[in-house]
Structure formats: C-alpha cells, structure tokens
C-alpha cells in the first residue's frame, strides 16, 4: 500500500531537538533562528531530508513556520492546523501562534534590541524576507544569513539522505509539445523582458519545460534541480548525476547541457553583466543575493514557465479527461462499496483509505497518489487537512458523515476529488448545510465570466448560500492542478485572497466549497474543472469563459434538500449525474452500473434515500 498510517514525528521532537539547535546557534553567535516550512525549492510537500520544521518541532502540516530564540520558541500555523499542531507539538517548548494574524513578523518585534536572528537564505523568498527584516529592525534586532543551517548541523548523521529518484523522459504523446518548442516560447518571453536568461528553480517548471518527470517530492513526479534558460532556448540543467537515467541525455538533446549541481554557483557568476529573470515568489533569496554579488541585473518577474504550464494544451486536456474517467470509475466502485457493505458495517478511516487506494491500484495505471488521502470520519471531517494515523483512526459512526478527499497520479493526468457520504441516517442540519455547500459548488460550475476575470472575483459565488445562513469556510475555493505534475499549482486560484492572474482557457482549477462544524463533522464537495471558451451570452459582445467538469462521480443525494434548490440548480445537478452515468457507467461492472443509474436518477421527493443498500 502506498499510503501509510505511521506518524513520522512525536511531541518529544521539540524537547529533544531544540537544545541541539540552540547549541548550534550559540556556536554561530545567534540569538535566534527562523525555521520556515519551505525548502530550497519552495516546495509545499517536502522530502524527508528537507522537512526541517517537522524535525525541530514535530509539526508536519504543509504550511507553517517556526522561530527559535535562546529562551523561547514558537510555531505558527493557520486555521487548518490549529488542532493538529496542539497534538504534535510540545507546548512546554513551543508557543502556538497564528500564522496569518501577526505571524512571524509580530513575534520578531519582541526579539529584543541587539538580537541577532539567523536565517538560511536558501529557504526564504526575498518577498518574505523583506517583511521579516522590517519587523526585526522595529525591535532593534537584525537578521543575519548563515553559511551553515543550525538545524542541519544539529540534525547531523541522523538526517535522511537527499532524494535521488531517477529522472525519466515524459513522452510527447502526454506532454503535447516538444521541449524545444517550449524552450523557444519561454525564451521569447525572457527576451520580451529585455533579459538574456532566466533562472528556473521550481521543480514543476523544470519538469514541464524539459518534458521530464522524477520522484524527489512526495506524491508528485518532480525532480529537484535548477536550470538556466537562455533567451535563445538553450539551457543548462543542474541535476544530481545519481538521478540521470541512460536515456535522459539523448532525450534532452544537444541544446541542453546536463551539469552537476556543484556547477550552479559558477553558472550564476557567469551571468555577470546580464539581465536575468528570477521569480521572487518561487526562488529563494540566495539566488538574488548570488546574482547581485556576481554583477548581474536581476529582473523580478513571474517564472516564465508558470503561465504556459498552467494553460494546458489540447493533448494535455484530452489526457486529463481520460485520467478522470479512469479515476472516476475507481471512485464510483468505492462509493458503491460504501453504499452497500459500508452502510451495513461502517468502515474505519484506515479501511476506507485502503479500499479506495485498492480500487485506484486496480486500474493498473496508477503511478502514485496525488496526496495522502483524507479519510475523515465523524469530528475529524472538521479538520480540512486531516490524515488518519494508527493513533487517530476512528470508525465512522451511524448518523455521521465520512469525508474522503483523494486523488491519483497517472501519466496522462492528476486527479483531486472530494465526496462526503452519509453513514446511516444524516441529521437535518447535515442535509441543510450540505445543500448550501452544493449550491455554492453548482454556482461556480455553471458560471459564465468575461475573459480577464480572476478567481478572486468569483469566489463569493461559492460562499453566497452559506453566507445567507451566517456560515462560511476558512480555505480557498479552488487551486490550480497540473497534468502529471503537482496537485497544487499556480498561478490561478479561486479564493478571497486577491489574485491578479486571470482564469484562462486550458487552466485546471478545483471547485471545492465546504463547511466544518468543530468536533462533529465536515462537508466538502470537490470537482476539478477546466476553463473553456464559452458561447456568446445574450446580445453581449464580450469574450466569455466557462468551466467544464473533469471529475465524474456521484454526489450523495441523501444529503440534498431539494426544496432548497432552484429549478435551474436541480436541472444542473441532474445533468451532471446523467453525464456521470453516460461516461462512467460503461467502465464499471453491471452491479455497480445498476447502482450508479439508481443514485444518479433525477432528483426525487425529499426523504428518499437512493444511496441506501438495495
């Protein structure tokens, strides 16, 4: 089984490791040290060797930060992780603080006059450092870059080795465009900045640009590496020789020189006197400092691979449609199991996760999960990023909800889908609030919007029904998704947070409003959608866009109150389910297809329970 239920940390990490870190700090004359979650590649999901915040504190969430001072320390998390962090971190060592409200800058303002706070320039973006430096200066303290990370020094021989997964070609039949063509396109964008080169450090950009895939990042087929791309489309790719497979040099061709990562410093020095594009949100401050020291002129701009990577070509869209049909059949088999055996003998979280993984594995084409499955029973559903462990595992209770958020990595696409299923008889409150979430999901799915519209401009459509009842959720409504790349990618997103990137044809984004009642249950309905050109609306003359659902799987109608839906919403819901039957029905066994046709039949009178076993 790919997913395990082991815990990689425990609350004893802080008491054991912080004294070692403070000793290393003292040897460097530091009064404190900044511990970001991100690694040298600004990854969200980290190789074990780079998960420094987890080793220092015990906290394993995908977003957070830490500050270790000589006499106190703090871990910072957002609302998704408030319960998890208290379970994982010893609060006798670390104070738990909010990552968003005040965050690390507010804490640094209390550091004390004359304090020297160390940071590893390879782990922080320059944008983040600007704010941190200002906060430290307000306290009369100073931030100092370190040559040796005190955590790495304290970790010592126990630190895992850096990953060295083989890097392999990603065929054009999946990529849809030759690497040479991509490099020429991106090179033209570099020239448009008046620059001669760009430094590319985001693993997803490198995988996309060179049509390669690796396995250095958990649940993502990404290689850890760096590249310098010139405006003429030629490039230098810095890749650990241990990762280089026999077929790779010929695949890259003679316009790409394959070099040892040890040559990177020299390559940056050779850019002296040249204008170089570097992304301040994707690349760490070390690249900016090194280039400036070498005499290069740095152009701060978005990674030039980001936008073309986000706008999928026709081959990628066709591939991801097929991947979602395949994955939808596996998920439908799982939902059938939940509706039959799972209603008679409710599963625990581990059993649900294992069963769904087995159905995906049975496709014979699963390369990996796209993230660890969130199988959340009972009150765990109120934790948006919950992952079951041996210790936390719970059995779904009758009258409860089981929230399952999962996805798969296939050569032709990446999936991410959430379904919430009633175990036994749901309460009236559960049905009402699920229906409000469904209304938001449907509102996004049927939206027509003008070209140039950003995700932040449409986020309120997903929340309006909840807002009308005084309810909301504390995460974004949608994130970008790659094609056999990362399950979370930018620059597009749908959220309250301002975003200047317009939703464009070919972009894939999730549609996942939710509702969470602390300690009781959670609700989320998630499909992936691809942005498509829309037909003209009325007599308008504006170019319009729309969404097309990629995800195909039934939604639990026992949790839908038809009386709260408009005629338009009912027709939309029924049309989606008709499409599920048409595209998934032929891919599943007769018994499952018969069940699928029943649960996807047009909405009937309130009070019927079509997902119950027959």
């Amino acid at each position: 089984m790919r997913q395990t239920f082991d815990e990689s940390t425990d609350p004893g990490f802080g008491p054991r490791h912080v004294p070692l870190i403070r000793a290393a700090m003292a040897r460097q004359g530091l009064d404190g040290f900044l511990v970001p979650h991100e690694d040298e590649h600004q990854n969200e999901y980290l190789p074990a060797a780079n998960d420094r915040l987890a080793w220092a504190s015990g906290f394993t969430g995908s977003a957070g930060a830490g500050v270790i001072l000589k006499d106190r320390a703090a871990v910072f998390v957002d609302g998704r992780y408030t319960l998890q962090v208290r379970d994982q971190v010893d609060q006798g060592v670390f104070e738990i603080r909010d990552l968003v409200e005040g965050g690390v800058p507010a804490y640094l303002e209390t550091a004390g006059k004359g304090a020297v706070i160390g940071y590893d320039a390879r782990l922080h973006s320059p944008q983040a450092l600007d704010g941190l430096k200002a906060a430290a200066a307000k306290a009369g303290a100073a931030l100092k870059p370190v040559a040796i990370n005190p955590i790495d020094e304290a970790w010592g021989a126990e630190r895992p080795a850096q990953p060295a997964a083989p890097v392999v070609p990603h065929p054009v039949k999946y990529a849809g465009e030759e690497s040479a063509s991509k490099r020429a396109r991106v090179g033209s964008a570099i020239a448009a900045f008046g620059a001669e080169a760009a430094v590319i450090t985001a693993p997803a950009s490198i995988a996309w640009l060179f049509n390669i895939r690796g396995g250095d990042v958990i649940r993502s087929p990404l290689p850890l590496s760096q590249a310098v791309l010139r405006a003429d489309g030629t490039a230098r790719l810095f890749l650990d020789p241990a990762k280089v497979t026999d077929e790779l040099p010929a695949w890259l061709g003679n316009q790409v020189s394959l070099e040892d990562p040890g040559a990177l410093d020299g390559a940056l020095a050779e850019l002296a006197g040249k204008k170089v594009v570097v992304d301040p949100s994707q690349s760490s401050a070390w690249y900016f400092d090194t280039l400036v020291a070498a005499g290069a002129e740095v152009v701060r701009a978005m990674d030039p691979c980001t936008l073309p990577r986000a706008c999928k070509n026709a081959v990628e869209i066709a591939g991801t449609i097929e991947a979602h049909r395949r994955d939808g059949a596996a998920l439908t088999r799982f939902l059938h199991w939940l509706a039959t055996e799972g209603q008679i003998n409710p599963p625990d979280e581990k059993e649900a996760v294992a069963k769904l993984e087995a159905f995906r594995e049975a496709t014979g084409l699963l390369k990996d999960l796209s993230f660890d499955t969130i199988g959340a029973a009972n009150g765990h559903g109120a934790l948006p990023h919950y992952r079951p462990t041996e210790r936390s595992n719970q059995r779904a209770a009758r009258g409860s909800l089981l929230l399952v958020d999962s996805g798969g990595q296939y050569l032709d696409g990446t999936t991410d889908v959430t379904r919430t299923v009633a175990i036994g008889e749901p309460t009236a409150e559960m049905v009402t609030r699920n229906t409000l979430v469904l209304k938001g999901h449907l509102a996004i799915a049927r939206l027509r919007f003008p070209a140039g519209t950003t995700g932040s401009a449409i986020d309120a459509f997903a929340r309006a029904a909840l807002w009308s009842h005084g309810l909301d959720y504390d995460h974004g409504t949608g994130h970008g998704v790659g094609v056999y790349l990362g399950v979370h990618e930018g620059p597009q997103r749908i959220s309250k947070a301002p975003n200047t990137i317009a939703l464009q044809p070919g972009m894939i984004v999730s549609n996942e409003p939710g509702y969470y009642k602390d300690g009781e249950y959670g609700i989320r309905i998630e499909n992936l959608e691809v942005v498509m050109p829309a037909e003209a609306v009325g007599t308008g003359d504006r170019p319009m866009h729309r969404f097309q659902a990629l995800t195909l799987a039934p939604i639990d109608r026992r949790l839908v109150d038809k009386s709260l839906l408009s005629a338009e919403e009912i027709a939309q819901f029924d049309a989606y389910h008709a499409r599920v039957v048409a595209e998934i029905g032929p891919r599943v066994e007769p018994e499952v297809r018969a069940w699928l046709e029943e649960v996807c039949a047009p909405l009937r009178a309130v009070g019927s329970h079509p997902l119950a076993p027959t």
Side-chain angles (χ1 to χ4, degrees):
M1 185 171 172
R2 299 175 189 270
Q3 183 167 333
T4 70
F5 305 101
D6 299 329
E7 296 179 81
S8 58
T9 68
D10 64 65
F13 271 38
R16 292 198 300 273
H17 299 158
V18 167
L20 301 176
I21 297 168
R22 284 183 172 138
M25 287 164 41
R27 287 191 287 273
Q28 297 189 41
L30 301 175
D31 300 302
F33 189 70
L34 304 180
V35 191
H37 169 268
E38 292 77 19
D39 69 355
E40 290 85 342
H41 299 268
Q42 301 296 294
N43 284 314
E44 176 185 16
Y45 299 115
L46 305 178
N50 296 348
D51 205 349
R52 296 174 176 90
L53 181 60
W55 186 81
S57 68
F59 174 64
T60 61
S62 63
V67 178
I68 299 174
L69 302 177
K70 289 195 294 187
D71 56 351
R72 54 196 168 95
V75 169
F76 303 79
V77 299
D78 62 27
R80 297 171 296 171
Y81 293 112
T82 52
L83 295 180
Q84 177 179 328
V85 71
R86 296 181 190 283
D87 187 53
Q88 292 185 319
V89 173
D90 186 323
Q91 293 179 65
V93 177
F94 286 96
E95 179 186 355
I96 308 302
R97 297 184 63 135
D98 192 282
L99 184 65
V100 179
E101 297 297 327
V104 176
Y107 193 76
L108 285 180
E109 290 179 12
T110 70
K113 189 173 183 178
V116 178
I117 311 297
Y119 69 92
D120 187 336
R122 293 178 182 267
L123 309 182
H124 297 266
S125 72
Q127 288 178 334
L129 272 180
D130 289 343
L132 296 173
K133 288 177 179 178
K138 185 181 289 188
L143 295 191
K144 176 185 176 182
V146 298
I148 300 174
N149 188 311
I151 293 178
D152 297 351
E153 181 183 347
W155 207 340
E158 294 182 2
R159 185 182 179 194
Q162 287 292 330
V167 175
V168 298
H170 187 57
V172 177
K173 70 176 182 178
Y174 299 120
E177 183 181 6
E178 296 279 0
S179 172
S181 172
K182 292 179 180 180
R183 287 186 276 108
R185 277 205 293 144
V186 177
S188 295
I190 294 169
F193 281 109
E196 295 164 84
V199 176
I200 311 296
T201 64
S205 288
I206 289 172
W208 174 85
L209 181 65
F210 296 103
N211 285 345
I212 56 178
R213 296 296 188 268
D216 292 335
V217 180
I218 186 171
R219 307 298 182 221
S220 303
L222 302 177
L224 297 184
S225 53
Q226 300 87 11
V228 174
L229 177 66
R230 305 180 186 93
D232 64 3
T234 62
R236 303 173 72 174
L237 176 59
F238 302 90
L239 189 64
D240 183 343
K243 303 176 187 180
V244 178
T245 51
D246 291 343
E247 67 269 39
L248 193 62
W251 174 259
L252 293 171
N254 57 19
Q255 288 193 316
V256 178
S257 62
L258 197 55
E259 303 182 38
D260 188 282
L264 178 61
D265 292 46
L268 298 182
E270 291 174 25
L271 295 172
K274 295 181 171 59
K275 291 182 72 171
V276 183
V277 174
V278 192
D279 188 335
S281 67
Q282 296 278 355
S283 299
S284 71
W286 178 85
Y287 291 95
F288 292 81
D289 295 344
T290 303
L291 286 166
V292 169
E297 181 181 348
V298 176
V299 178
R300 292 191 175 202
M302 181 189 293
D303 174 344
C305 298
T306 299
L307 198 55
R309 185 182 84 229
C311 298
K312 282 45 177 187
N313 60 45
V315 170
E316 290 175 309
I317 293 172
T320 205
I321 287 172
E322 175 59 23
H324 278 81
R325 288 173 177 156
R326 181 188 315 122
D327 196 73
L331 179 59
T332 296
R333 292 184 178 100
F334 169 74
L335 293 172
H336 171 260
W337 173 79
L338 272 183
T340 52
E341 295 180 42
Q343 294 290 337
I344 298 168
N345 297 301
D348 64 30
E349 294 164 338
K350 288 171 50 183
E351 290 167 344
V353 168
K355 195 72 174 179
L356 178 52
E357 184 177 319
F359 282 123
R360 283 196 168 102
E361 203 72 70
T363 66
L365 295 174
L366 183 71
K367 303 298 288 185
D368 199 356
L369 305 178
S370 57
F371 54 96
D372 279 349
T373 298
I374 299 169
N378 314 319
H380 287 159
L383 307 175
H385 281 213
Y386 171 78
R387 181 183 74 88
T389 65
E390 295 286 353
R391 182 165 57 94
S392 69
N393 184 45
Q394 285 187 7
R395 187 166 300 280
R398 295 191 183 279
S400 72
L401 301 181
L402 178 64
L403 186 156
V404 182
D405 186 347
S406 66
Q409 291 280 13
Y410 305 91
L411 285 172
D412 50 1
T414 299
T415 70
D416 181 3
V417 51
T418 307
R419 290 294 183 264
T420 305
V421 176
I423 302 298
E425 187 77 16
T427 67
E429 179 185 273
M430 291 173 178
V431 173
T432 296
R433 295 188 178 182
N434 183 84
T435 307
L436 297 176
V437 171
L438 175 63
K439 287 171 74 70
H441 177 87
L442 294 173
I444 293 293
R446 71 173 177 273
L447 197 63
R448 299 294 187 271
F449 52 94
T453 300
T454 65
S456 53
I458 68 173
D459 180 78
F461 286 89
R463 301 177 190 269
L466 287 163
W467 285 351
S468 70
H469 286 69
L471 307 171
D472 201 2
Y473 51 95
D474 292 330
H475 56 72
T477 299
H479 56 84
V481 179
V483 174
Y484 194 45
L485 287 170
V487 74
H488 294 154
E489 74 167 24
Q492 73 275 21
R493 66 177 183 269
I494 304 173
S495 73
K496 293 178 182 178
N499 186 339
T500 60
I501 303 299
L503 294 168
Q504 301 180 34
M507 287 182 171
I508 296 172
V509 65
S510 66
N511 172 6
E512 50 179 313
Y515 171 75
Y516 309 93
K517 188 171 184 179
D518 284 351
E520 296 193 27
Y521 61 87
I523 295 164
R524 189 159 63 251
I525 301 172
E526 178 187 16
N527 284 353
L528 296 191
E529 317 266 1
V530 60
V531 181
M532 306 285 285
E535 64 280 0
V537 178
T539 59
D541 56 4
R542 295 285 183 94
M544 302 295 288
H545 296 332
R546 65 179 176 86
F547 292 117
Q548 176 180 312
L550 294 168
T551 305
L552 296 169
I555 296 169
D556 190 344
R557 288 187 299 148
R558 290 178 299 158
L559 291 169
V560 178
D561 183 346
K562 181 180 177 182
S563 71
L564 296 177
L565 299 180
S566 68
E568 180 184 30
E569 289 168 333
I570 290 171
Q572 180 188 357
F573 187 76
D574 289 345
Y576 173 75
H577 269 163
R579 186 177 163 216
V580 170
V581 172
E583 298 191 37
I584 301 301
R587 293 171 175 258
V588 295
E589 301 76 13
E591 177 188 3
V592 178
R593 177 165 186 165
W595 169 84
L596 183 65
E597 291 173 349
E598 171 67 14
V599 301
C600 290
L603 277 175
R604 54 182 69 177
V606 176
S608 63
H609 303 287
L611 278 179
T614 57

